[in-house]
Every structure is written in C-alpha cells, then in structure tokens.
Amino acid sequence: MEHYLILARSVTYAQRMQKVLSRAGVRCQIFRAPRDLTNLGCAYAVRIATSDLTAALTALHAASLDPVQIFLYQRGLYQEVHP
C-alpha cells in the first residue's frame, strides 16, 4: 500500500503534527522512523495516505510545523520527495 512518511525530529514534534493533522481531517499514525531513512537517532514518522499529502502539508505549514523529510513508500521502497 502506498503512503507518505513525514519525518519529525522527535516524538513530541510528531505528536504535535498528529494533533494538527487530526484537526484538519487527515488520518495519520506515528511510529519510529526506519533507521535507513534518517541519521537522526530519535526521529519519528507520521504516516498518511497518498491522497492526503496536500492537505497535510497545508495544515502543518499553517501551524509552523515543518517536516524534516518526506518519503513516498511505493512498491516496497522509500523515495524522498520534495513538496
């Protein structure tokens, strides 16, 4: 299943992102970022559906919560995307 991972620098930052996204009607899930995607030791990721990327980025920008990186998961691989 295709999805986006929005990387946050900490669990607290990811929780803030989740709160903002939920208020914007974007379903999401928080978990530890895969180690091969980041060199940050405590990075967390917020997973969203591919159809929700624009709404998610708009909501996060309005709340001044900028992602560290964004990855698209497709066919078993992660690819970094630049919004």
Side-chain angles (χ1 to χ4, degrees):
M1 171 191 256
E2 293 182 2
H3 60 269
Y4 283 102
L5 287 184
I6 301 174
L7 267 56
R9 62 179 167 247
S10 69
V11 68
T12 303
Y13 206 75
Q15 289 168 337
R16 289 179 187 157
M17 287 180 162
Q18 182 182 39
K19 190 179 210 180
V20 166
L21 293 175
S22 293
R23 286 183 183 159
V26 176
R27 293 181 58 188
C28 61
Q29 178 183 17
I30 296 176
F31 57 93
R32 295 268 316 199
R35 289 182 187 219
D36 56 335
L37 295 185
T38 180
N39 59 359
L40 301 173
C42 60
Y44 278 76
V46 178
R47 177 181 166 170
I48 63 168
T50 54
S51 59
D52 290 333
L53 182 63
T54 302
L57 292 178
T58 300
L60 292 174
H61 179 70
S64 299
L65 294 171
D66 297 319
V68 174
Q69 291 174 290
I70 301 172
F71 290 91
L72 173 62
Y73 179 78
Q74 191 175 42
R75 293 184 221 117
L77 300 171
Y78 288 102
Q79 178 180 353
E80 186 175 5
V81 295
H82 301 279

